[in-house]
Structure formats: C-alpha cells, structure tokens
Amino acid sequence: MAEIPEYVKKVLETLETAGHEAWCVGGCVRDILLSRVPEDWDVTTSAMPEETMAAFGQHAFPTGLEHGTVTARSDHNSVEVTTYRVDGAYHDHRRPDSVTFTRSLGEDLMRRDFTVNAMALSLRGELRDPFGGREDLKQSVLRCVGDPDRRFQEDALRILRGLRFAAVLGFSLDPATGKSIHKNRELLGDIAAERIQVELLKLLVGRDAAEVLRQYPDVVGVFWPEVLPMVGFDQKNYHHCYDVWEHTLHAVAAVPGDPVLRCAALLHDIGKPNCFTVDEKGVGHFYGHSAISRELADRMLRRLKCSTDFRETVVRLVDWHDRDIPRTDKAIRRALGKLGERDLRRLILLKRADNLAQAPEFHDHQLELDKGESILNRLLAENACFSMKQLAVNGKDLTEMGLSGPAVGRVLNALLDAVMEGELPNERHALLSSVSRFVTEL
Ligand code: ATP
Ligand code: MG
C-alpha cells in the first residue's frame, strides 16, 4: 500500500495535536489501496469547522464552511478538511436540504456513495471500513452504501458516478446496484448539464468505457436520446460486421483515452440511423451521414454545455471522419492548414479506430493511414509550411513593397497556396521575387 504523503500527514497531525480525530477519507483511500495515484487528498475530522480554522490558523481558508469544509495549506499543497457530516433529507434528487455536523466517523462514512468510497485511513494506518469496501475492491465490485434505490433517489448524480467509477476502475456493478441504476435512470433529468458533462467525460476516458456504455445505453439515453436508435441498428452492409452501436463501441475502445477522441468516436456515426437507405440489391447505405452526425453532435455537446473549444474540435473530427485520408504532400499540407497537427493526428487515430471496428477484410485501410501518417511525420520534420504564420514573408513586407488594402491579404494567400502546392519554396527571397507576378495575376 502506498504511503500517505508528508504534507497530508502534517494536516492529520495538526488536527490530532489540537485534540480532534482526523482521517484520510473517500477516493484517496480507495486509490492508495488500489496502488493508484489519488487525484486529491480529502481529510475528515471530528473538529467543528471553527475548530479546524483555529487549528490551522493562518494556513486555513474557509472555502465551504456551510458544508463544513476548510482548505488547509500544507507545504505548498491544499487539503480539503471537512467536518464529519450527516446529510439531511433530499427533496430534489440533487442536494440535501441541510447538512448536520456530527462527532461520529461512522455516520460520516454512511452518507458516502459507494462502499469503496466509504473508507477512512488514519495517520497510524488504521483502516475504518464499515461496509466492506476493501473486499469489494478485491472483487472489483462497485456497490452502493445502503439501499441503492434510496441512494440514487437522494442524489441522481450517483447514477452516473457509479458508471464512471466502473469504467475508470474496470469494476463491475454489483447486481442490485446495477439494476437500480437502470430503474432510476430518469432521475438524471433533474441534474444540471454541467455536472453530467463532467461525469460523462470522466467515464469516457475510463479503460472500460465501451463495456459500461454497452451495458447502460439507456442511462446515456436520458440526456442524449440520439444514442438510442444506434442500438441494434443493422447496417446491412458488407463493410460492417456489427450493428451501428456495436461498431461505435468498438471504435470508442480503439481510440486512446483522450476525452475529445472518445467523444468523437462515440458520436461519429450518430446520424446513421437518420439517413439509412437500402438499394435494390438489399445493401444498406448511409449517404451524407457525417454531415448529419456533425449537426447532431453539435446539438448534443451544446446541451451538456461543453466548452466551445471541446465542442468545435469534436464536431470537426466527426465531420471529417468519413473523408479519405490525405496521402500526398499537398493534401497533408492542406489538412494541416485546416486542422493543425494535433487534430490531424487525432483524425488519423479516429479513422484507424473506425476502420478497425469494421469487418476484418477491410482492415488493410490501416496501410493507407500509415502512409498518410508517415507523410505527415516527414513534412513536420522538414518544418513544412502550412499556415500563414509560418510563411517566410508577412503583411509588413508587402506594404513596404508598396501594396495596400485587400491586395496585401490576397497576395499573402496566393503565396501560401503556392508554397503549400509545392510551386514555391518557403524562402523569403523566392517569395518576394514572385510578388509582382501575383499582383498582375490577381
Ligand atoms: P476522484 O478520483 O474523481 O476524485 P473521488 O471518489 O475522490 O473520485 P470526489 O468527487 O472527489 O470523488 O469525492 C470525494 C468523496 O466524497 C467520494 O469518494 C465519496 O466518498 C464522497 N462523495 C462525493 N460525491 C458524492 C455523492 N454525490 N454522494 C455521496 N458521496 C459522495
Ligand atoms: Mg477526490
């Protein structure tokens, strides 16, 4: 088992020295028992919030006093210290109407969502585990603390947190917990879009994201009903050995755990059921599906209030996913100009995954992708020019040559085109001597 870091130990010591109980609690305890690196360290204490404030003096910050939370600074790190708490009644499936502080660790652990998240660890390595969290960790099982229906009805976000932990940790849902997730899924409708977005993106980057989605499409369907028609949709096409949903899940599993790529893989064929046709030979087609997928993806990501940059990047990948991969210098330079290196690399990864999720006899498309990728690598190694800011001349150079107004931009564009087409080298002298020719041509 990994050690509690020094700066966290100091926080526990400070509280104990002041006469209070103090424990590491929740996700950090789960993670060190799994030998994973915790995202953050949370401490729970018998001290009332004002006692915590007093114990840390000038190193204490009242970041959430009404919930009992004080942020303690320790060796340039922050640790959230929260008073043992009992949640009051829930009426909106979101938040307790009130919270009450308690002097009992047991009561605090009882309010926590899953058994593996309801353990506490002391300075001396003592583990408090009243609900069998350690055993569930060993069995890789995610199980609610207490009655699942009640816990999901109290706070519906736990439905998605459950799927998120299953995907990230590679755990299976305890049968009663899993059944209750299906049963109570509609309650997610009461949860703010931003909170759903956070959990969904964490779920998607999990190692078992595809498996969790396979088992719970109905849960995703509560906020993204567009997903549901994909499930079981027979493509009637020899390129495909899976229905649209299975194809999608294979693509999700085959891209790296980057939220943009996982999301693009999940949505790349979302428009397929809307544009399905069957020809006279009985073969299915999805003409124009990437444009429809692009529109749907844009709407779905807006609904979850994703950031503009995230949404636009995913939507662009969805839009481009069905185009032939560029395989000439010229075409790669163009694609670089439109997408930039990061997203062109993502597009190649998405296309690889899309292809691997098709019937095996078509997997030789990977060779075309290899070719595109090696051209890309070579061009980047050669410092190829694919954007205006890399061009060896700029607007000021042209103004100094006597050009003005829109002509400056037009000539710059023409020069960039000529460089990208391989007609001119990206060298200052060569470009400047071609300016007069472009001025006459334009
Ligand atoms: P992460 O690795 O994402 O930080 P975590 O388990 O630490 O996972 P947090 O959201 O940081 O999750 O919450 C810390 C702890 O607070 C959880 O482990 C759990 O004990 C408790 N908790 C958080 N959210 C809820 C909730 N909605 N219902 C019940 N308990 C919760
Ligand atoms: Mg945490």
Side-chain angles (χ1 to χ4, degrees), residues 25-28 30-31 37-40 42 87 90 94 109 111-114 116-119 151 154-155 157-158 161 164-165 195 199 202:
V25 71
C28 57
R30 174 198 71 219
D31 287 341
V37 180
E39 286 227 349
D40 41 32
D42 294 315
D87 293 339
Y90 286 75
R94 275 183 299 216
L109 293 177
R111 75 174 166 91
R112 295 176 183 271
D113 46 8
F114 300 102
V116 298
N117 287 347
M119 292 183 277
R151 302 314 307 279
E154 285 172 354
D155 177 359
L157 188 68
R158 291 173 187 155
R161 280 174 62 85
R164 185 255 279 196
F165 289 121
R195 300 178 78 203
E199 291 300 330
K202 287 186 179 177

Side-chain angles (χ1 to χ4, degrees), residues 11-31:
V11 170
L12 299 173
E13 272 160 11
T14 304
L15 287 159
E16 289 196 355
T17 309
H20 309 293
E21 296 172 16
W23 302 77
C24 293
V25 71
C28 57
V29 177
R30 174 198 71 219
D31 287 341

Side-chain angles (χ1 to χ4, degrees), residues 76-94:
H76 308 289
N77 288 289
S78 291
V79 177
E80 286 209 339
V81 180
T82 304
T83 303
Y84 295 161
R85 219 175 78 185
V86 184
D87 293 339
Y90 286 75
H91 284 110
D92 59 358
H93 311 303
R94 275 183 299 216

